[in-house]
Amino acid sequence: MVESHSDAGLGTDGFAVPLRLHNLLLALAGRLDDSALSEARELTARARLDEAAELTTGALIAGKLPVRESEQHELGLVLELSRSDATLAEHLTVNDAEADNGVLHHFTGDNQPEHGVADALDRTLQVLPDLRSVHAVWRNTPAGSVPGPLPQRVVLVEIGPEGNPPAAAYRIDAALRRAGIRAVVEVTGPGAERTRYHDQALNSAMAVWLAGNSNGSAPQNRPSAPKPNAKEKAGRHVAADAKDEEPVPAPAPAPAPEASKGPGHKFGPREEPPETRAEATTDLSSAEVAQLRAALAEDPEKGKAIASAVIGPGEVVEIPELDLNDPQLSERDRQLLRELHAELAERERAEASKVRTNGSGEDNPRWVDGFSGA
């Protein structure tokens, strides 16, 4: 097999073998079977030129399909350039008149032949170079000796000189098959001669994609974007426009609803509970501080115990004598001292009772459970 870019792969007119074979298949459209035509184009795009040339020649010979004399010569040259047997071209049925006028095809653009094609080719059309147009049409007549189901969708593609017709035909056909669209792809370029078959098909075809307009139809007028308001402008414009706008006064706060004065209203203000005497005794007055200072002067440890109200187990704390005749004490101070003195005395009696019950003050303490009688 000869590579298309080698000197041996060029004909006398300078066309490489893949392009010569592609143009030959384009001229045979409508006479060769659609399946054989698509398979030969795929082989050409994959650089399997000898297989593509032999497949085309074999299908023409088997179906006794008429070819022009120029087509026979071209096919023999392609067979020779692809290192195949060039003598196969001698078995072709050469009939110029029948090749030109033997088959008359009918095309129609009804029933939306372009439906789904644009979506299927969206990404492919974005990467193909020098693409000019894409059209779609239905063909209602069979082609070749083994025709396929009808109607047959035909996709017509036109590319410029910068494009690659064999590669474009293969990529578009592959994209359509991935989308589940059965079609025959015909790609024409500057070096290809357009036949009557393609002219008739293009006259009835519907546009799918046109250069400069991705959807193949006239561009629709899009609504213009709304102008930005004063808040969306630049800072200096906002400052200029803010002078024209009057400041909007803040709304006055709504008056709070008056609480119901009826009895038992669950939303009414909660009344504070009266202050208890126990809470009042937690804060020492000046007179109480004086009494504690006197106790601390006599015995510091005992005074601390009295002040913190912490008495160890088995410890009996003697409370200093309560002096209620101190002229510095008020009546309220005397009452608070009486309560504090009574509370400390009660703690002293409780601790003494525990000592007597458990015997913690003896040398050999015994546990008294109240049931053993000991």
Side-chain angles (χ1 to χ4, degrees):
M1 183 174 62
V2 179
E3 297 293 339
S4 60
H5 60 268
S6 64
D7 294 339
L10 296 175
T12 56
D13 51 5
F15 286 120
V17 175
L19 186 57
R20 299 179 72 94
L21 187 53
H22 174 82
N23 292 338
L24 181 60
L25 295 173
L26 198 64
L28 295 174
R31 286 179 283 164
L32 191 62
D33 304 344
D34 294 328
S35 58
L37 201 63
S38 298
E39 186 176 355
R41 284 174 175 155
E42 181 178 353
L43 292 172
T44 303
R46 293 180 178 273
R48 297 161 63 179
L49 305 178
D50 52 346
E51 298 180 29
E54 292 172 0
L55 173 62
T56 304
T57 306
L60 292 172
I61 295 173
K64 298 181 179 180
L65 302 175
V67 296
R68 303 179 183 91
E69 186 176 357
S70 60
E71 293 170 348
Q72 181 190 30
H73 175 74
E74 185 71 12
L75 189 52
L77 180 60
V78 170
L79 288 170
E80 181 181 359
L81 293 174
S82 61
R83 304 293 175 87
S84 297
D85 188 3
T87 60
L88 292 175
E90 299 176 0
H91 302 280
L92 295 174
T93 303
V94 180
N95 191 331
D96 290 7
E98 188 176 355
D100 292 334
N101 306 314
V103 180
L104 184 61
H105 291 284
H106 299 282
F107 300 92
T108 179
D110 299 335
N111 299 325
Q112 299 180 342
E114 77 282 4
H115 178 69
V117 177
D119 294 335
L121 300 180
D122 184 23
R123 293 186 177 180
T124 304
L125 298 180
Q126 293 177 8
V127 298
L128 288 177
D130 206 3
L131 195 64
R132 302 298 175 84
S133 65
V134 179
H135 293 77
V137 68
W138 293 114
R139 192 191 69 209
N140 297 323
T141 50
S145 59
V146 187
L150 296 176
Q152 173 66 56
R153 192 196 311 260
V154 179
V155 177
L156 306 170
V157 183
E158 183 180 0
I159 62 176
E162 300 298 328
N164 188 326
Y170 170 69
R171 297 191 64 173
I172 292 176
D173 181 67
L176 292 175
R177 281 185 292 176
R178 284 195 301 267
I181 299 177
R182 185 181 61 89
V184 179
V185 180
E186 306 287 346
V187 180
T188 58
E193 182 181 355
R194 184 173 295 175
T195 63
R196 184 182 63 175
Y197 174 86
H198 294 93
D199 290 336
Q200 292 176 346
L202 193 58
N203 290 336
S204 303
M206 303 298 295
V208 175
W209 186 93
L210 299 176
N213 187 11
S214 59
N215 57 8
S217 59
Q220 298 179 357
N221 295 328
R222 297 183 180 179
S224 57
K227 297 182 179 179
N229 52 25
K231 296 182 180 180
E232 297 175 350
K233 295 181 181 179
R236 59 190 184 92
H237 296 291
V238 172
D241 296 342
K243 299 179 180 180
D244 300 335
E245 298 180 359
E246 296 182 359
V248 180
E258 296 181 359
S260 174
K261 297 182 180 180
H265 195 273
K266 62 180 181 179
F267 296 106
R270 181 181 299 177
E271 296 181 358
E272 295 295 334
E275 182 180 8
T276 60
R277 299 302 300 173
E279 295 175 352
T281 58
T282 59
D283 297 331
L284 298 178
S285 63
S286 58
E288 294 169 349
V289 172
Q291 293 285 344
L292 290 176
R293 286 179 177 175
L296 288 172
E298 295 178 3
D299 189 350
E301 297 298 331
K302 186 183 298 185
K304 292 179 181 179
I306 296 174
S308 59
V310 177
I311 303 175
E315 182 182 359
V316 178
V317 180
E318 296 181 2
I319 304 175
E321 184 179 357
L322 182 63
D323 185 9
L324 299 179
N325 298 323
D326 191 348
Q328 297 181 356
L329 298 179
S330 63
E331 187 62 30
R332 178 178 177 277
D333 295 338
R334 292 189 180 91
Q335 182 64 26
L336 291 176
L337 285 175
R338 290 191 188 96
E339 294 178 0
L340 179 61
H341 195 275
E343 182 179 353
L344 294 176
E346 182 63 27
R347 291 187 183 184
E348 180 184 1
R349 287 192 294 270
E351 293 296 333
S353 177
K354 290 181 181 179
V355 171
R356 287 192 300 269
T357 303
N358 298 330
S360 59
E362 300 179 1
D363 296 337
N364 298 322
R366 295 182 301 168
W367 177 260
V368 179
D369 56 5
F371 295 96
S372 62

